Amino acid sequence: ELATANAPELGMQTVPSLNIAYTKEKGYVTADVAEKENLTKLNLSGTKFRQMLRAGEEIPEWFAFKSVVKVLRDELVNASN
C-alpha cells in the first residue's frame, strides 16, 4: 500500500503479486482458491528449511528449486571452511 500510494510521485507503477500456496491436491494455486476449495496447504517455515538445509535433508521441490538448494548448501560449506 505504501508503494502504491507513492508510485505517482516516484514516477513508477506497482505490480500487485498474488499470495500463492502449494496444495496437495492441485499444486500451486492462489491462497484464496486454496481457502475457498478447502485444499490442504503445505507449509515449511524458514527455520525448518534452514535446519533441513544444514542437516543435508531433502528439501521439497515445491519449496525451493534444487539448483537453489545446491547453491545454498555450497555456501554453507564454504562459510564453515
Side-chain angles (χ1 to χ4, degrees), residues 61 64-74:
E61 284 195 63
F65 295 114
K66 286 188 180 287
S67 59
V68 172
V69 172
K70 181 182 179 336
V71 168
L72 293 172
R73 286 205 168 118
D74 289 348

Side-chain angles (χ1 to χ4, degrees), residues 2-63:
L2 178 64
T4 301
N6 293 293
E9 179 182 340
L10 298 171
M12 58 185 263
Q13 180 181 0
T14 59
V15 179
S17 62
L18 299 172
N19 188 6
I20 302 295
Y22 189 84
T23 67
K24 274 185 171 180
E25 298 85 358
K26 291 189 173 185
Y28 294 105
V29 297
T30 58
D32 60 330
V33 167
E35 291 295 325
K36 185 173 91 176
E37 296 183 16
N38 200 30
L39 302 173
T40 307
K41 291 188 278 183
L42 302 179
N43 297 305
L44 184 62
S45 72
T47 299
K48 180 65 176 168
F49 171 65
R50 289 186 298 276
Q51 289 172 345
M52 292 172 73
L53 195 64
R54 289 184 190 112
E57 295 176 27
E58 188 71 23
I59 307 294
E61 284 195 63
W62 56 262
F63 188 80

